[in-house]
Amino acid sequence: MPPSRIITLIVGVIFILGLSLWVIDSLSRIYWQLSFSSPFLGNLLLLLLVVLVGALIAAFVYYVLVIRAGEERSRRARRQRAQVQIPTAKPEAASSSLQAVRQQVEQIQDEVARLAMVRKSQEIEANLARGEIQVVVFGTGSAGKTSLVNAVMGRIVGRVDAPMGTTQAGQTYCLRLKGLERKVLITDTPGILEAGVAGTEREQLARELATKANLLLFVVDNDIRRSEYEPLQVLAEIGKRSLLVLNKTDLYTEEDKEAILARLRQRVQGFIAANDVVAIAAHPQAIELEDGEIFQSEPNITPLLRRMAAILRAEGEDLVADNILLQSLRLGEEARKLVDSQRRRQADKIVDRFQWIGAGVVTVTPLPVVDLLATAAVNAQMVVEIGRVYGCELNMERGRELAVSLAKTLASLGIVKGALELLSTALQLNIGTFMIGRVIQGVTAAYMTRIAGKSFIEYFRHDQDWGDGGMTEVVQQQFQLNRRDEFIRAFVQQAIARVVKPLQEASEGVDEEFRS
């Protein structure tokens, strides 16, 4: 409690007690008068007086300790919120996210991987600077995507540039909308769900383009199928602003069209708004007239154009920023995985080194008590080095505390005993029985150091947090992973090379020296 609040509390209590004494003195005279004429009324007055004084003191204490404390916490919270610099707009948030990604990329040691990530971050940053709105047309090959793009390019009011170029993933056009300063790029992608290897590759390219879109036009020509619904749902879940476009409505009666629209809106309810499901006829079917002349009606894409224009004018800035933010988050996750893989390789090398150091120390140490002390020191140093890989600087005392805590967990779970039995059986099949007594403790120590090291890797990977299951669950998982037959066989072979053979060579050298 702050000193100012303690002083306020003391002064307040003294004041209340002084006031109470004055009231008591004044009322005592009334009490003595009443006690002679009516004892019951006198006692009742005394009781009410005591209750009143107690209530005053309690109310004051409650105000000082609870209400005032709450007000001070609220003021501190407001001051802290005022001090925190929160991005005031989505473009600023996207720029901040890109800065964080660049910091992550700098930690990547692999030169090729780092340069590739740098190029991706520069591309995202250039997109943010240009501020172009990318509209991607996505769907099956038979839904009429290209017809839609052609109709849009022919009906948009404003300047239309020449095609920007053809790629394996489709064609991209640049156009401008009245009332919108940003350029709008509209891309026609290959169809999804095509057969064959080439179709699968084209679909992959189309999906990649769709994930980079600011606005997605998902085109269908009937009620949506599961094979269409699943990619649309995935794209919506990652934050893609989407319009579901029912094309080829000239093939349906008005009643059938409304029925299909109603089913579509029901199926995508929850991730696409009802007014974002629109019906068009991008390339109406030609009709042969009675005189044999072919009549081609104009495309009917007005509902789509109106909805696109409304979204781009109202949400264009946010769509660009949201898309940049999404791309930077995905790039950041990719960079995080690369850094995590890099750190794991470094940490695994540390575990591998210390497990055999521990084995050597225990093998040549004759006293069991010294075994424990030596292993604890080895594991403590291992913890410190693993922590350093993950940017956590620990001193030896803290490393020893963590190592001892995990050792107790290993013992309490019976893993030490289980490992001893497991490795004894495996070693007896590979080396002579005369060596087993000297080797088993050292190899078991190496095995336990490995489990401890792998457990600490998970601890540091998750920002020094054991997770909901605590240390016990992590240790059990690592024991299960490291007791598989194929691992035990490989581990025993390493133990023979690193522990048994050096021990045999040392014994032979001693024997030769003794004989000479």
Side-chain angles (χ1 to χ4, degrees):
M1 184 187 299
S4 60
R5 200 181 305 165
I6 296 175
I7 294 172
T8 302
L9 182 62
I10 294 173
V11 171
V13 171
I14 292 174
F15 175 79
I16 292 174
L17 288 176
L19 181 63
S20 300
L21 289 174
W22 176 77
V23 173
I24 290 170
D25 181 71
S26 301
L27 295 178
S28 62
R29 298 167 187 175
I30 301 174
Y31 171 76
W32 287 111
Q33 293 175 1
L34 289 175
S35 63
F36 288 106
S37 59
S38 177
F40 175 77
L41 290 177
N43 292 332
L44 181 61
L45 179 63
L46 181 62
L47 177 62
L48 291 175
L49 184 62
V50 172
V51 171
L52 177 62
V53 173
L56 285 172
I57 294 175
F60 181 78
V61 172
Y62 178 81
Y63 172 77
V64 173
L65 296 182
V66 179
I67 298 178
R68 287 286 300 277
E71 290 174 351
E72 289 180 11
R73 284 196 297 270
S74 299
R75 284 195 295 269
R76 285 197 300 269
R78 285 194 295 269
R79 287 196 298 268
Q80 289 173 356
R81 285 194 294 269
Q83 293 170 358
V84 175
Q85 298 297 321
I86 299 174
T88 56
K90 289 184 177 180
E92 187 178 342
S95 181
S96 299
S97 179
L98 278 173
Q99 180 64 31
V101 169
R102 283 192 291 269
Q103 292 175 356
Q104 277 189 310
V105 169
E106 289 174 358
Q107 300 178 46
I108 300 175
Q109 295 178 352
D110 185 284
E111 185 72 15
V112 175
R114 188 176 71 255
L115 290 177
M117 298 294 288
V118 167
R119 282 194 295 271
K120 289 182 180 180
S121 67
Q122 290 172 342
E123 180 182 343
I124 295 173
E125 192 169 10
N127 290 338
L128 178 61
R130 287 196 304 267
E132 298 165 338
I133 299 177
Q134 180 72 60
V135 178
V136 171
V137 184
F138 190 71
T140 60
S142 61
K145 301 186 309 304
T146 301
S147 297
L148 184 154
V149 172
N150 291 337
V152 169
M153 297 305 298
R155 291 285 302 276
I156 283 290
V157 179
R159 182 170 61 85
V160 178
D161 295 335
M164 293 181 64
T166 302
T167 67
Q168 288 184 329
Q171 249 180 352
T172 297
Y173 299 87
C174 177
L175 54 92
R176 288 190 182 276
L177 281 175
K178 284 186 177 180
L180 191 68
E181 293 182 359
R182 295 180 182 273
K183 283 185 178 181
V184 178
L185 305 180
I186 184 166
T187 300
D188 179 19
T189 62
I192 62 174
L193 309 178
E194 295 180 4
V197 175
T200 301
E201 292 176 351
R202 286 194 295 269
E203 177 174 344
Q204 183 62 35
L205 289 171
R207 286 175 181 260
E208 184 178 345
L209 272 177
T211 61
K212 296 179 180 179
N214 302 122
L215 178 63
L216 185 71
L217 307 183
F218 197 100
V219 187
V220 296
D221 58 5
N222 204 321
D223 191 9
I224 193 167
R225 294 170 287 184
R226 175 176 293 185
S227 54
E228 296 171 312
Y229 177 86
E230 289 176 351
L232 175 60
Q233 185 182 35
V234 169
L235 290 166
E237 286 176 348
I238 67 173
K240 288 292 110 181
R241 184 71 166 88
S242 304
L243 291 178
L244 180 56
V245 183
L246 173 62
N247 194 15
K248 302 184 181 180
T249 55
D250 57 299
L251 302 179
Y252 304 105
T253 64
E254 189 66 22
E255 183 180 352
D256 288 342
K257 183 187 77 172
E258 293 301 325
I260 295 172
L261 280 173
R263 286 198 297 271
L264 287 173
R265 287 168 178 149
Q266 182 181 8
R267 296 190 194 286
V268 298
Q269 186 178 11
F271 58 91
I272 294 181
N275 61 345
D276 286 339
V277 181
V278 296
I280 66 167
H283 185 65
Q285 201 170 40
I287 301 174
E288 185 177 354
L289 303 178
E290 292 181 356
D291 59 1
E293 187 177 349
I294 302 298
F295 173 74
Q296 179 68 58
S297 60
E298 290 292 322
N300 178 19
I301 59 170
T302 302
L304 174 61
L305 294 181
R306 287 176 177 170
R307 190 59 190 149
M308 277 180 59
I311 290 174
L312 295 181
R313 287 174 183 141
E315 307 175 31
E317 298 297 319
D318 285 346
L319 288 178
V320 171
D322 285 341
N323 191 46
I324 295 297
L325 188 59
L326 175 63
Q327 290 187 49
S328 63
L329 289 175
R330 293 181 63 180
L331 185 62
E333 179 62 18
E334 187 178 347
R336 188 198 64 78
K337 290 180 179 178
L338 285 172
V339 172
D340 182 62
S341 177
Q342 166 187 300
R343 287 173 169 174
R344 290 205 67 156
R345 288 193 298 270
Q346 294 173 348
D348 285 340
K349 290 180 180 179
I350 292 172
V351 173
D352 185 72
R353 174 160 53 89
F354 276 96
Q355 71 184 15
W356 301 120
I357 290 175
V361 170
V362 171
T363 301
V364 300
T365 304
L367 299 176
V369 175
V370 179
D371 290 354
L372 295 176
L373 293 175
T375 304
V378 169
N379 289 347
Q381 183 61 40
M382 178 182 67
V383 172
V384 170
E385 293 195 20
I386 293 175
R388 192 174 297 129
V389 168
Y390 286 91
C392 304
E393 293 294 335
L394 304 178
N395 55 33
M396 279 298 294
E397 184 61 30
R398 177 56 180 160
R400 189 175 292 105
E401 289 176 5
L402 289 169
V404 171
S405 177
L406 194 136
K408 290 179 180 178
T409 300
L410 289 170
S412 65
L413 294 174
I415 292 178
V416 176
K417 182 180 179 181
L420 191 64
E421 295 173 354
L422 183 68
L423 292 169
S424 295
T425 303
L427 285 167
Q428 286 174 357
L429 298 175
N430 290 272
I431 61 177
T433 55
F434 72 94
M435 293 285 295
I436 201 69
R438 299 186 61 186
V439 169
I440 186 59
Q441 284 188 332
V443 176
T444 302
Y447 184 79
M448 300 310 298
T449 298
R450 178 182 181 82
I451 293 177
K454 293 290 187 178
S455 299
F456 281 120
I457 289 175
E458 295 302 310
Y459 171 71
F460 287 111
R461 281 185 68 226
H462 296 92
D463 298 324
Q464 301 182 68
D465 187 0
W466 290 110
D468 295 337
M471 182 188 293
T472 299
E473 183 175 323
V474 174
V475 169
Q476 287 176 329
Q477 289 175 348
Q478 293 304 316
F479 180 57
Q480 294 301 322
L481 289 173
N482 288 274
R483 66 175 301 173
R484 292 173 298 183
D485 290 343
E486 59 272 19
F487 171 77
I488 291 298
R489 286 195 293 269
F491 184 79
V492 167
Q493 293 304 315
Q494 289 183 6
I496 291 173
R498 291 175 176 265
V499 179
V500 177
K501 288 185 177 178
L503 190 61
Q504 287 176 332
E505 292 172 358
S507 298
E508 291 173 357
V510 170
D511 291 342
E512 290 179 3
E513 184 178 349
F514 180 76
R515 285 195 297 270
S516 61

PDB file of all heavy atoms in Angstrom, residues 79 81 87 97:
ATOM      1  N   ARG A  79      -3.233   5.959 -18.330  1.00  0.00           N
ATOM      2  CA  ARG A  79      -1.932   6.541 -18.688  1.00  0.00           C
ATOM      3  C   ARG A  79      -1.117   5.570 -19.538  1.00  0.00           C
ATOM      4  O   ARG A  79      -0.448   5.966 -20.485  1.00  0.00           O
ATOM      5  CB  ARG A  79      -1.153   6.914 -17.417  1.00  0.00           C
ATOM      6  CG  ARG A  79      -1.695   8.147 -16.710  1.00  0.00           C
ATOM      7  CD  ARG A  79      -0.679   8.680 -15.725  1.00  0.00           C
ATOM      8  NE  ARG A  79      -0.383   7.710 -14.679  1.00  0.00           N
ATOM      9  CZ  ARG A  79      -1.024   7.658 -13.519  1.00  0.00           C
ATOM     10  NH1 ARG A  79      -2.007   8.504 -13.261  1.00  0.00           N
ATOM     11  NH2 ARG A  79      -0.691   6.758 -12.610  1.00  0.00           N
ATOM     12  N   ARG A  81      -2.286   3.175 -21.486  1.00  0.00           N
ATOM     13  CA  ARG A  81      -2.857   3.094 -22.833  1.00  0.00           C
ATOM     14  C   ARG A  81      -2.486   4.312 -23.658  1.00  0.00           C
ATOM     15  O   ARG A  81      -2.279   4.241 -24.859  1.00  0.00           O
ATOM     16  CB  ARG A  81      -4.388   2.954 -22.749  1.00  0.00           C
ATOM     17  CG  ARG A  81      -4.859   1.580 -22.322  1.00  0.00           C
ATOM     18  CD  ARG A  81      -6.331   1.423 -22.602  1.00  0.00           C
ATOM     19  NE  ARG A  81      -7.159   2.315 -21.795  1.00  0.00           N
ATOM     20  CZ  ARG A  81      -7.662   1.993 -20.614  1.00  0.00           C
ATOM     21  NH1 ARG A  81      -7.430   0.805 -20.105  1.00  0.00           N
ATOM     22  NH2 ARG A  81      -8.396   2.857 -19.940  1.00  0.00           N
ATOM     23  N   PRO A  87      -0.983   1.669 -33.882  1.00  0.00           N
ATOM     24  CA  PRO A  87      -1.166   2.196 -35.226  1.00  0.00           C
ATOM     25  C   PRO A  87      -2.576   2.753 -35.404  1.00  0.00           C
ATOM     26  O   PRO A  87      -3.553   2.115 -35.058  1.00  0.00           O
ATOM     27  CB  PRO A  87      -0.936   0.959 -36.124  1.00  0.00           C
ATOM     28  CG  PRO A  87      -0.067   0.058 -35.307  1.00  0.00           C
ATOM     29  CD  PRO A  87      -0.501   0.276 -33.892  1.00  0.00           C
ATOM     30  N   SER A  97       4.057  -4.339 -39.454  1.00  0.00           N
ATOM     31  CA  SER A  97       4.200  -5.793 -39.600  1.00  0.00           C
ATOM     32  C   SER A  97       5.368  -6.130 -40.517  1.00  0.00           C
ATOM     33  O   SER A  97       6.134  -7.066 -40.254  1.00  0.00           O
ATOM     34  CB  SER A  97       2.902  -6.389 -40.144  1.00  0.00           C
ATOM     35  OG  SER A  97       3.022  -7.779 -40.325  1.00  0.00           O
TER      36      SER A  97
END
